[in-house]
Amino acid sequence: MPLLWLIVIVLALAAVGYVAGRGRAMKSAGGDSRHLHSLPCYYGSNAAIKVVVPAFLLLIVWLLAQPIYVNSVVSGMIPESEVAEGSNLSLVMAEVRRTADGIDNAIAAGLMQADRVRDISADQLTQSLKDAGQIVTSAITPAVLDAAQEFRVINNRGNLYMTVAVLVLAIAGFVIALRETHKDFRARNVVETSVRYLLIAAASIAILTTIGIVFSLIGNTIRFFNLYPAGEFFGSLTWSPSFGGGSELGIWPLLWGTLYISFVALLVAVPIGLFAAVYLSEYAGPKMRAYAKPALEVLAGIPTIVYGLFALLTVGPLLLSVFGSDGLGWMQGTRAVITAGIAMGIMLIPFVSSLSDDIINAVPQAMRDGSYGLGATKSETIKQVILPAALPGIVGAILLATSRAIGETMIVVLGAGAAAKLSLNPFEAMTTVTTRIVSQLTGDADFASPEALVAFALGMTLFILTLGLNVFALYIVRKYREQYE
């Protein structure tokens, strides 16, 4: 059964449970809701929760665990001779999954008969899948074919078991909810407790996601440092990857380019965004605000590739005409730190202005009135009362813009170039950590080589850097807040 149908069936059963639970409660109270412990809707909600929550939890766990189990079983069928030199087992398993998916798609389209898949040879299957328009990166070997067929069998059997288990659990929840439904049942307490646990689970997603990101990076980072010395990674000032060997993978040129371009972007975004927020919240009239704020927020919806093209085709040539050979002679090409920094700064303006505007508007009006009552002018009130009170939120907005700048890729690629160097000249081309991560993980390089695994070490370093910025900003905010209070 398709996954969508299974979800629809469970939701339909929950809807029936809601109606049945509500009706059963009213029937036990003789049709008078005053005799019920809780409102009728709570009895229906209790039935719906007992149908949906256990069934969906089992569905999620099954969908996460089944691929791990299937891969572990099927990977044991692949002989070591099938893993070519320069390849690894994960690449062979990817080919197995592509083959299995291609067979399923060909069968679904009527281009291949399910009962003949076991009898077809590897060469015939390769040609059949190519004729059916399925992606086959190389000729399918007998070992890959056997593994793909076993993959399909185990996967289909697991999907069948999952469907049966989820439906049985949903029906069991339906029956249990109806059996416990009567006029004295404390449905409201049960529903509110269930909702509280659901909210706790939702709030835990951010923490679990962070933990998942860290663990996904740690393993491959350790593998990289087993192949490449950590002392050279953090001690070398040269970034020169070579997939043929002899690479120099020093992080400092990339880290310097990341921080330098982000700094230039913040020099553009923070003053303009903060001044715009102060104007919109304290000086602009309702009509002006109604037009100006949406116009600023439109910048946040523009794709970053458009900003990259803007940097390449507009900002770069404009700067070159002023600082190039025809002007001051400082700039040699359109791609430079200042080009990417200005374009990125324009992109970050709405992050600073919109959030700062909301924070400034949240400052109580009584603080403004008290300042005016003491004889302060509007500018003095803004400088000495409103901005200090809104400082934690403003720092948060700047921190969000900083994180956005550090993680930007397309603007850097098109606006700053790809040169990894240590230089203070903002008119030279540089690159960042994120662009090198993309570069190292694209192409046909061996995923187990240091030149590919270095991307995870770069990502881990960037994660630690961002975490450090968050901790530092929190320290500054708390220290200032203590002084202000």
Side-chain angles (χ1 to χ4, degrees):
M1 177 184 295
L3 181 61
L4 179 60
W5 291 10
L6 180 60
I7 294 174
V8 170
I9 291 174
V10 173
L11 292 177
L13 189 61
V16 174
Y18 179 89
V19 176
R22 193 178 188 280
R24 187 179 179 87
M26 290 296 295
K27 184 178 180 180
S28 67
D32 189 353
S33 61
R34 292 176 298 177
H35 297 159
L36 296 174
H37 172 272
S38 308
L39 293 174
C41 62
Y42 283 108
Y43 294 91
S45 299
N46 173 63
I49 288 173
K50 282 184 167 58
V51 171
V52 170
V53 174
F56 278 3
L57 284 177
L58 176 61
L59 180 63
I60 293 171
V61 172
W62 199 298
L63 290 174
L64 292 174
Q66 179 172 309
I68 299 175
Y69 171 75
V70 174
N71 286 340
S72 65
V73 172
V74 175
S75 61
M77 300 176 53
I78 300 175
E80 294 183 0
S81 59
E82 193 67 23
V83 182
E85 184 178 356
S87 181
N88 53 45
L89 184 59
S90 62
L91 295 178
V92 179
M93 282 301 300
E95 188 67 29
V96 170
R97 287 191 293 270
R98 278 195 294 268
T99 303
D101 292 340
I103 293 174
D104 290 335
N105 294 334
I107 292 175
L111 301 175
M112 187 179 298
Q113 296 181 4
D115 54 352
R116 296 186 57 188
V117 173
R118 284 285 181 182
D119 302 328
I120 194 171
S121 66
D123 294 336
Q124 292 174 335
L125 181 63
T126 302
Q127 189 60 43
S128 298
L129 292 180
K130 289 181 178 179
D131 294 340
Q134 301 302 314
I135 299 176
V136 180
T137 57
S138 60
I140 299 173
T141 62
V144 171
L145 175 58
D146 292 340
Q149 290 173 340
E150 187 66 19
F151 184 92
R152 293 181 60 247
V153 171
I154 299 177
N155 216 32
N156 292 336
R157 187 186 303 131
N159 290 338
L160 176 61
Y161 292 161
M162 178 187 69
T163 301
V164 173
V166 169
L167 291 179
V168 167
L169 192 58
I171 294 172
F174 180 87
V175 173
I176 292 173
L178 290 187
R179 289 186 61 183
E180 68 184 9
T181 298
H182 53 82
K183 63 184 181 65
D184 296 324
F185 178 64
R186 298 176 178 272
R188 175 172 59 91
N189 298 14
V190 175
V191 170
E192 290 181 349
T193 301
S194 302
V195 171
R196 184 171 70 251
Y197 285 131
L198 288 175
L199 294 176
I200 292 173
S204 303
I205 290 178
I207 299 175
L208 295 176
T209 301
T210 303
I211 294 174
I213 291 173
V214 172
F215 278 102
S216 66
L217 292 175
I218 287 177
N220 287 302
T221 301
I222 294 175
R223 289 177 59 193
F224 167 72
F225 286 128
N226 288 334
L227 298 174
Y228 191 86
E232 294 186 19
F233 179 72
F234 292 108
S236 174
L237 301 179
T238 302
W239 173 265
S240 179
S242 174
F243 289 99
S247 299
E248 292 189 60
L249 304 176
I251 191 176
W252 292 110
L254 308 183
L255 203 56
W256 171 250
T258 300
L259 297 177
Y260 199 2
I261 294 174
S262 300
F263 176 73
V264 174
L266 292 175
L267 284 181
V268 175
V270 172
I272 296 177
L274 188 55
F275 291 163
V278 171
Y279 171 75
L280 290 175
S281 60
E282 300 299 323
Y283 292 98
K287 292 184 178 180
M288 183 63 183
R289 178 181 173 84
Y291 288 102
K293 187 169 183 179
L296 276 174
E297 292 177 345
V298 166
L299 294 175
I302 299 177
T304 56
I305 184 66
V306 176
Y307 282 107
L309 294 174
F310 173 69
L312 180 64
L313 302 177
T314 304
V315 178
L318 182 62
L319 292 174
L320 188 63
S321 65
V322 178
F323 301 103
S325 56
D326 295 335
L328 298 176
W330 298 346
M331 196 170 178
Q332 303 300 320
T334 58
R335 295 182 175 181
V337 169
I338 192 170
T339 303
I342 291 175
M344 194 184 301
I346 295 173
M347 180 195 70
L348 297 177
I349 288 174
F351 288 90
V352 178
S353 65
S354 183
L355 291 176
S356 299
D357 175 54
D358 294 337
I359 294 299
I360 292 173
N361 282 325
V363 175
Q365 182 63 34
M367 298 183 68
R368 296 177 173 85
D369 296 338
S371 177
Y372 295 146
L374 292 174
T377 63
K378 194 179 197 75
S379 60
E380 291 172 338
T381 300
I382 293 172
K383 182 174 64 175
Q384 300 178 13
V385 177
I386 295 176
L387 290 182
L391 182 66
I394 294 174
V395 171
I398 296 174
L399 180 62
L400 176 62
T402 303
S403 301
R404 185 71 179 82
I406 290 175
E408 180 53 43
T409 303
M410 290 309 303
I411 295 178
V412 177
V413 171
L414 297 177
K421 63 176 70 172
L422 291 168
S423 174
L424 288 173
N425 187 356
F427 300 101
E428 291 186 1
M430 292 187 193
T431 190
T432 62
V433 172
T434 55
T435 58
R436 291 299 94 192
I437 291 175
V438 174
S439 176
Q440 299 307 115
L441 289 179
T442 54
D444 299 328
D446 181 12
F447 192 75
S449 65
E451 289 76 18
L453 291 174
V454 69
F456 296 95
L458 294 174
M460 194 68 190
T461 305
L462 206 59
F463 175 82
I464 294 174
L465 174 63
T466 306
L467 181 62
L469 287 175
N470 279 270
V471 173
F472 177 72
L474 186 61
Y475 168 76
I476 295 297
V477 169
R478 286 181 175 176
K479 184 176 180 180
Y480 190 89
R481 182 178 293 170
E482 290 174 357
Q483 294 177 354
Y484 182 74
E485 292 176 350

